[in-house]
Amino acid sequence: MTFDGAQPSIMPKNIYNSLRGAHIITKSFTFFTSVGKSSITVALVATILITSFWAHTAQAQALDTVSADEEKVVDGLTVAERAAKIDAYFAQYNLPAAGYGKVFVAAADREGIDWRFVAAKAMIESTGGKFVPKKDPDNMFGWGCSDKAGLKCKDFASKEQAINEVTAHLAGNRESTAKYYKDKTLSQKMSAYNRVNPKYQPLVFGVMDKISKIDAPKVLAMK
């Protein structure tokens, strides 16, 4: 089999890259042997080339994984389309959470939870980051706050950290809170999160529905 730089259409990319890399190593080995290098030098060069090749392969596979995550389609929508809907929902009210759509979506996809859920909770808990604890302006979720229990709000370093951490907890992927959220429906998760307000769940589900239905291109074009 020969390689002229073009990837055969019928061969998977990872297999093609591996074979092509092996071909390059073989040619390099042959070259150094033909010019009369010592066996030690040849072995050293071959080792360097092989190490470099496998490092390159691992990096390429990692990039392929990232690319696949970025192209993940949920509810018939790509990451970019879902992020735009979240951004548009918050942007129409000029709220601080606008612009964090991709963070919400990436966290949801990574942790395995509905992509609209945490964003909707941010709207209900703090009006999209507009009304937040003075000592923790990045806590859009009231996470860890309880006047009745006398608990101090969780101090997040950024809105990104808040989104990522709260999403992981609500998905049931943090040991300290897994008993409340792991393997639970969204309704059950909200019951664990807020047992006091009977209107809480309808409000969150209502925002989720609005995020799904919003015409993101139209709204964002006006901003």
Side-chain angles (χ1 to χ4, degrees):
M1 180 177 292
T2 60
F3 296 86
D4 58 3
Q7 180 177 331
S9 60
I10 62 173
M11 184 182 298
K13 183 170 65 176
N14 61 332
I15 297 177
Y16 165 79
N17 287 335
S18 297
L19 292 175
R20 187 171 186 273
H23 178 67
I24 292 173
I25 292 172
T26 301
K27 289 184 66 177
S28 300
F29 184 86
T30 301
F31 168 76
F32 280 100
T33 301
S34 65
V35 296
K37 294 292 182 179
S38 68
S39 60
I40 295 177
T41 302
V42 172
L44 177 61
V45 171
T47 300
I48 293 173
L49 286 171
I50 291 171
T51 302
S52 176
F53 163 67
W54 288 117
H56 174 76
T57 300
Q59 182 181 30
Q61 290 174 341
L63 290 174
D64 285 344
T65 300
V66 172
S67 178
D69 289 342
E70 290 180 348
E71 295 175 359
K72 185 175 182 178
V73 174
V74 176
D75 296 336
L77 302 168
T78 64
V79 169
E81 290 169 334
R82 286 180 282 147
K85 281 183 174 290
I86 291 174
D87 284 333
Y89 178 79
F90 289 123
Q92 67 182 334
Y93 306 115
N94 297 313
L95 298 176
Y100 292 90
K102 193 169 184 178
V103 181
F104 279 110
V105 172
D109 286 353
R110 181 177 63 252
E111 303 296 344
I113 198 169
D114 191 295
W115 61 276
R116 305 160 299 167
F117 183 51
V118 180
K121 285 178 65 58
M123 184 64 183
I124 301 305
E125 293 290 343
S126 68
T127 313
K130 186 175 182 178
F131 302 104
V132 293
K134 290 183 179 180
K135 293 184 179 180
D136 186 17
D138 295 314
N139 192 341
M140 299 185 288
F141 311 96
W143 188 258
C145 303
S146 176
D147 294 335
K148 185 176 181 179
L151 298 176
K152 180 183 178 182
C153 295
K154 171 68 177 177
D155 186 13
F156 293 107
S158 65
K159 287 182 174 59
E160 289 89 348
Q161 184 192 32
I163 293 168
N164 286 321
E165 277 299 301
V166 172
T167 300
H169 280 285
L170 292 175
N173 297 332
R174 290 290 185 269
E175 185 176 355
S176 61
T177 55
K179 63 180 179 181
Y180 302 113
Y181 305 114
K182 189 174 180 61
D183 299 324
K184 302 290 181 65
T185 65
L186 294 184
S187 179
Q188 291 170 332
K189 291 176 188 291
M190 284 187 277
S191 292
Y193 193 96
N194 187 323
R195 297 189 179 100
V196 179
N197 188 351
K199 296 181 180 180
Y200 187 75
Q201 292 194 34
L203 288 171
V204 173
F205 282 129
V207 173
M208 290 173 65
D209 187 54
K210 290 177 181 178
I211 291 174
S212 293
K213 294 179 178 178
I214 196 166
D215 186 341
K218 181 178 180 180
V219 173
L220 293 175
M222 298 172 62
K223 295 295 177 180

